[in-house]
Amino acid sequence: MKTSGTKKTVVIGLLGTVMDKRGKGVKRWNSWRPTVGIFMQEDLLVDRVELLHDDRDNRLANNVGADIESVSPSTEVGLHNIQFRDPWDFENVYSTLLDFVESYPFKPEEERYLIHITTGTHVAQICWFLLCEANYIPGSLLQTSPDRGDKSVAGNYHIIDLDLSKYDAISSRFKRQQLEGTEFLKSGIATRNHRFNNMIQQIERVAIRSQAPILITGPTGAGKSHLAKKIYELKHKRSLVQGEFVAVNCATLRGDSAMSALFGHSRGAFTGAQTARKGLLTKATEGLLFLDEIGELGLDEQAMLLHAIEEKTFYPVGSDNPVISDFQLIAGTNRDLQKQVQGGTFREDLLARINLWSYQLPGLKDRREDIEPNLDFELLKIEQQMGHKVSFNKAARQRFIEFSQQTDSLWSGNFRDLNACVQRMATLSDGGRINEALVTEECERLKQYWQKSHQDDALPALDEFFTPEQITEIDLFDQLQLRQVIAICQESRTMSDAGRQLFNRSRLKKSSTNDSHRLRQYLSKFGLSFEELQNPRA
Ligand SMILES: Nc1ncnc2c1ncn2[C@@H]1O[C@H](COP(=O)(O)OP(=O)(O)O)[C@@H](O)[C@H]1O
Ligand SMILES: [Mg+2]
């Protein structure tokens, strides 16, 4: 290794309190000393050395400095006092070296820097590496080692330039692994939608770096549950979680048993509790708890859950002994939790907690360019299930893709619709060949299905105005009628406009009827007013 051009060479390193210390007698010249050895290298000319050492090693530092000057008279020796509180404490060593580095007047245009990493604890070694990698130090690492045959006390040296292409190869391996992470989350499906791809990239980073709760929202079938599982698997693959993936749909946690299902109960906590029970939070210890449809969780359970997240402890039903909670939470919902907060059915503080990382998965209709790659993925899955190849003929495929892109193809069930329709076509196909006739038939079926579900969706949902408990008190008959009435009220400018439309027949027969009054009475039966329907959020 030659000195580079006209630049001066500067070595920076820690004094080795063991290996650089070989006594004061002449015998010290019989052993390899890593720091002194650098200056005995014939092909490495060093203009200056900055030797970092502790107060207690002043004597040794002076002796080593003198020895350096005697073997390499042209080298200027600088001694620097630095104080490690604990040379094995990562944070302490890193910040001490960082302080030194930040105050050091580097002149990379005039000098090249070699950071000697062989002396000091391996904690120091790692810190040097990190500082170079992060470009706090504009230099290369210098590694020294004793001569194998122990013939020369100068030993060997090796310069590691982290900017060189071979280290680039290592960092591109890192990058590849990162890519594998996003690929993994996408099940290897080559999705084309920018927003979705960016979102997955960020989710990957968050999954790897954070333990904080994640909230996944989006329409049914958009892949919330699937993504939660994938996040767990990714973390598990990278050894970031040891425990299990525990998934529960909060809609199934109703009534008295909900608390105990989540948090467990002690023996004798209530009649029938003959033995203690561990809840789902405990089952998810060191793992990941997926609370699907978290909007369905009762307010008491929400309070307890918040406590478990914030205080890292919770109380099983009937127990005064706190249990330590140690799990990561992913919550899923297709509800508007903000609205639920306004309606008083979701705790604002819990939402604030789980909202730190929140991702809205788009429906398929909002990323139609991804339908085709997903179609191929579904076909592959079906092939594996059926054990034989399933494919479209060319015209059939084109016909299906065209249909899938039309704006009136709603894909309201998202992946569930795609999955179901591929399944149907594959099953009905002869010899795994999907032809145009099958596609036409399937498109008709989907269209009708979406029309029906769209009509239904077009009506306002009652949960804007009522709590789930209140809704269960209303007859289905009334629910259907009420939704229709609310829709008309919302479309009308005034109450009499709405009344005229709703009571159009009676109006023709008996001109004296007060439509507004009738409508007001109807609404008040459900505790509603026209004004509030116009501004459901107010
Ligand atoms: N990104 C995806 N790619 C392919 N299939 C998916 C993807 N996400 C979900 N699916 C499939 O679609 C179906 C619905 O997904 P799911 O996660 O249950 O939706 P959600 O929880 O949002 O209602 C499942 O069969 C799932 O395997
Ligand atoms: Mg789900």
Side-chain angles (χ1 to χ4, degrees):
M1 190 77 49
K2 293 276 167 322
T3 334
S4 71
T6 53
K7 280 190 186 179
K8 287 184 171 178
T9 297
V10 180
V11 167
I12 300 175
L14 290 161
L15 178 71
T17 52
V18 179
M19 295 207 286
D20 281 335
K21 190 179 189 173
R22 299 282 184 175
K24 271 185 298 182
V26 286
K27 270 191 162 171
R28 69 182 188 279
W29 293 107
N30 296 342
S31 322
W32 170 68
R33 288 181 290 167
T35 300
V36 180
I38 298 169
F39 307 90
M40 299 167 81
Q41 303 294 330
E42 284 175 7
D43 57 354
L44 180 67
L45 298 175
V46 180
D47 298 279
R48 196 169 73 244
V49 56
E50 312 286 12
L51 204 49
L52 281 50
H53 67 90
D54 196 282
D55 262 351
R56 281 166 303 188
D57 302 315
N58 276 345
R59 281 253 301 282
L60 177 63
N62 283 319
N63 293 339
V64 168
D67 283 350
I68 292 171
E69 280 166 346
S70 78
V71 292
S72 174
S74 64
T75 303
E76 183 192 331
V77 178
L79 299 179
H80 302 268
N81 261 315
I82 55 158
Q83 226 63 50
F84 290 135
R85 211 179 351 91
D86 174 3
W88 298 98
D89 179 84
F90 194 91
E91 211 183 326
N92 176 234
V93 173
Y94 187 85
S95 59
T96 310
L97 291 180
L98 180 62
D99 285 344
F100 172 80
V101 163
E102 282 189 324
S103 64
Y104 190 83
F106 286 108
K107 293 182 209 117
E109 291 78 29
E110 298 160 33
E111 304 180 328
R112 72 155 177 163
Y113 301 95
L114 301 177
I115 309 304
H116 187 210
I117 58 169
T118 306
T119 44
T121 58
H122 62 248
V123 174
Q125 204 167 33
I126 293 169
C127 292
W128 281 132
F129 168 82
L130 290 173
L131 289 166
C132 282
E133 242 275 316
N135 287 325
Y136 278 110
I137 301 174
S140 307
L141 303 177
L142 172 67
Q143 195 181 17
T144 53
S145 53
D147 201 30
R148 277 250 193 91
D150 222 15
K151 283 170 231 125
S152 139
V153 293
N156 299 314
Y157 76 96
H158 184 66
I159 292 175
I160 305 164
D161 184 348
L162 293 174
D163 289 336
L164 281 184
S165 53
K166 71 174 164 180
Y167 298 101
D168 259 8
I170 297 174
S171 73
S172 70
R173 244 175 80 184
F174 275 135
K175 286 195 188 105
R176 211 160 47 236
Q177 227 201 352
Q178 216 174 20
L179 204 65
E180 278 166 14
T182 47
E183 292 306 300
F184 181 81
L185 289 179
K186 296 200 294 179
S187 307
I189 304 170
T191 50
R192 303 164 189 165
N193 182 276
H194 257 309
R195 266 195 51 217
F196 179 75
N197 288 347
N198 285 344
M199 183 189 297
I200 292 292
Q201 243 175 38
Q202 191 183 109
I203 293 176
E204 190 249 6
R205 260 178 268 157
V206 171
I208 303 266
R209 296 179 194 172
S210 169
Q211 302 268 35
I214 297 177
L215 175 65
I216 306 175
T217 61
T220 173
K224 301 180 293 291
S225 306
H226 181 75
L227 182 60
K229 184 80 197 287
K230 281 281 178 189
I231 291 174
Y232 168 78
E233 285 170 0
L234 179 66
K235 291 183 85 118
H236 194 68
K237 243 173 47 147
R238 303 271 174 97
S239 305
L240 297 167
V241 282
Q242 269 67 50
E244 288 178 51
F245 178 71
V246 179
V248 60
N249 187 327
C250 297
T252 63
L253 297 177
R254 281 294 171 95
D256 295 340
S257 59
M259 274 286 191
S260 110
L262 282 169
F263 306 101
H265 61 71
S266 61
R267 188 164 165 252
F270 45 83
T271 12
Q274 271 118 348
T275 51
R277 172 193 187 185
K278 287 190 166 140
L280 294 164
L281 265 67
T282 301
K283 196 168 173 224
T285 295
E286 290 191 16
L288 199 153
L289 179 65
F290 175 52
L291 292 181
D292 202 1
E293 306 201 23
I294 194 167
E296 305 294 321
L297 207 58
L299 285 167
D300 291 344
E301 289 79 12
Q302 290 176 29
M304 190 78 138
L305 179 65
L306 181 66
H307 188 274
I309 298 171
E310 292 197 320
E311 308 299 326
K312 300 269 172 219
T313 57
F314 61 89
Y315 294 89
V317 177
S319 166
D320 293 331
N321 298 328
V323 174
I324 294 191
S325 68
D326 173 20
F327 64 93
Q328 190 187 348
L329 177 69
I330 297 187
T333 186
N334 64 356
R335 292 246 215 160
D336 184 341
L337 292 181
Q338 196 75 53
K339 246 187 210 168
Q340 274 192 268
V341 167
Q342 279 151 10
T345 55
F346 203 81
R347 291 186 66 108
E348 191 170 14
D349 44 10
L350 180 60
L351 178 58
R353 257 297 155 161
I354 61 176
N355 217 356
L356 173 65
W357 299 109
S358 105
Y359 298 99
Q360 168 136 35
L361 290 188
L364 272 190
K365 74 168 168 27
D366 296 317
R367 51 180 186 116
R368 290 184 195 268
E369 64 269 54
D370 286 346
I371 295 177
E372 191 167 7
N374 271 294
L375 175 68
D376 291 328
F377 180 75
E378 292 296 332
L379 284 171
L380 269 175
K381 263 198 334 201
I382 291 262
E383 267 179 44
Q384 281 159 2
Q385 279 166 22
M386 292 184 140
H388 63 80
K389 190 157 174 57
V390 178
S391 61
F392 286 85
N393 74 38
K394 200 172 164 199
R397 184 185 175 97
Q398 203 172 349
R399 166 101 186 74
F400 183 81
I401 296 295
E402 262 166 35
F403 168 79
S404 73
Q405 305 296 308
Q406 290 166 11
T407 43
D408 57 349
S409 296
L410 300 174
W411 295 107
S412 44
N414 298 298
F415 283 115
R416 284 204 187 90
D417 289 350
L418 187 62
N419 177 285
C421 87
V422 172
Q423 193 120 25
R424 280 190 296 259
M425 290 189 288
T427 307
L428 294 174
S429 69
D430 290 322
R433 200 74 181 146
I434 300 172
N435 60 27
E436 268 188 281
L438 265 181
V439 168
T440 308
E441 204 182 307
E442 181 58 34
C443 293
E444 254 337 287
R445 186 186 290 121
L446 283 169
K447 238 196 310 220
Q448 275 178 22
Y449 168 70
W450 288 329
Q451 238 161 35
K452 259 178 68 195
S453 68
H454 181 59
Q455 276 166 12
D456 203 38
D457 276 353
L459 290 177
L462 292 181
D463 57 9
E464 280 191 33
F465 310 100
F466 301 99
T467 64
E469 290 74 34
Q470 288 171 326
I471 292 172
T472 54
E473 294 303 312
I474 307 174
D475 276 331
L476 180 63
F477 176 87
D478 287 320
Q479 285 189 35
L480 293 171
Q481 191 176 40
L482 189 55
R483 287 175 69 193
Q484 201 58 265
V485 171
I486 292 174
I488 288 176
C489 286
Q490 288 181 333
E491 286 160 10
S492 310
R493 218 169 26 87
T494 64
M495 186 144 74
S496 28
D497 284 351
R500 248 195 306 278
Q501 197 182 338
L502 284 164
F503 302 113
N504 59 343
R505 299 309 302 169
S506 344
R507 203 182 149 78
L508 283 177
K509 284 180 203 155
K510 300 186 269 168
S511 52
S512 64
T513 308
N514 185 336
D515 303 329
S516 301
H517 179 68
R518 222 171 140 184
L519 177 55
R520 194 192 304 281
Q521 270 190 327
Y522 174 79
L523 292 175
S524 71
K525 248 178 43 186
F526 301 97
L528 297 172
S529 71
F530 182 81
E531 290 69 26
E532 131 185 50
L533 299 182
Q534 298 272 301
N535 300 301
R537 286 172 203 220

